[in-house]
Amino acid sequence: MVSAKIRLAVVAALFFLIGALLPVSHASGRRYVAPAPAPAPVPATSSPRRQAPRPRPPPPPPSPPSRIQPVVVVQGTIYCKSCKLSGYNRYMDASPLPNATAELVCYGADRVLNLTSTRTDKNGYFLVMVYDLGMFQRSRCRVYLGSSPTPLCAAPFIPSNKWLGLTLEREKVASLPQGVKGVYRPKSTLMFGPGSSGSCPAAAVPMM
């Protein structure tokens, strides 16, 4: 009898414990869910990389100084003999002849190396610039009368024949311009004389 009471008491205690546990379990009504793993940290997006500046192209090399071409100068004046024109020189009894031509001819061993024709300015002055120094030799170059602007002063006087040339002599120049290797002139003045009529051109010779 006692044991039955004890057994009932134990059973009652068990039911009490079970009853005490069941409400908690039912009250929660939740299944145990394992917590989700924490998301992996998202790496911070790196700021866009700045492009390195393009290297500047090297500056162009300095241009070499311009080379001055060497030159030889041949100059002189053509006159009209015994005609009192503009610029008359009473000591020479001649006047500068504008618009006349002179010819510089340089010879080789068996041929003509150079022939240059040039016209005089209003003062009868002419100038020839020779750039081919290899063909220029003072002893082998001659200056000839070319043409006259008027038949009234077209007869060769110096030299007396237009087929005769005057040799050259070097002028003494204290300081030559840069590039000029020498300045030369005919050994005598070039002159035309009055034509066969013996008359002279007008005081003002027309320029071409």
Side-chain angles (χ1 to χ4, degrees), residues 176-189:
L176 290 174
Q178 189 175 6
V180 177
K181 299 302 180 181
V183 179
Y184 298 83
R185 66 184 177 192
K187 285 189 174 180
S188 179
T189 300

Side-chain angles (χ1 to χ4, degrees), residues 1-139:
M1 188 75 174
V2 176
S3 60
K5 290 181 178 180
I6 294 172
R7 201 180 303 137
L8 288 173
V10 171
V11 171
L14 289 175
F15 274 103
F16 177 79
L17 291 175
I18 293 171
L21 293 174
L22 284 177
V24 174
S25 190
H26 286 289
S28 63
R30 296 176 183 174
R31 296 177 59 188
Y32 174 78
V33 179
V42 179
T45 57
S46 58
S47 58
R49 295 178 60 187
R50 293 183 59 187
Q51 292 185 352
R54 294 183 179 180
R56 293 183 179 180
S63 56
S66 57
R67 182 175 176 271
I68 297 178
Q69 187 173 0
V71 65
V72 167
V73 174
V74 178
Q75 62 183 3
T77 304
I78 298 179
Y79 289 88
C80 179
K81 181 67 176 176
S82 302
C83 291
K84 297 181 180 181
L85 305 175
S86 176
Y88 175 74
N89 187 322
R90 64 188 182 90
Y91 297 103
M92 297 176 60
D93 189 24
S95 303
L97 188 60
N99 245 6
T101 59
E103 294 178 349
L104 173 68
V105 182
C106 293
Y107 299 93
D110 55 356
R111 62 189 177 93
V112 173
L113 298 178
N114 177 71
L115 189 155
T116 303
S117 180
T118 185
R119 193 175 295 276
T120 59
D121 64 9
K122 64 180 181 179
N123 299 314
Y125 170 80
F126 67 87
L127 180 143
V128 178
M129 302 183 76
V130 182
Y131 292 97
D132 189 353
L133 303 187
M135 70 87 194
F136 181 85
Q137 291 187 33
R138 181 188 63 81
S139 60

Side-chain angles (χ1 to χ4, degrees), residues 165-187:
L166 299 178
T167 57
L168 300 176
E169 63 182 6
R170 184 163 184 156
E171 294 192 34
K172 294 180 179 180
V173 181
S175 179
L176 290 174
Q178 189 175 6
V180 177
K181 299 302 180 181
V183 179
Y184 298 83
R185 66 184 177 192
K187 285 189 174 180

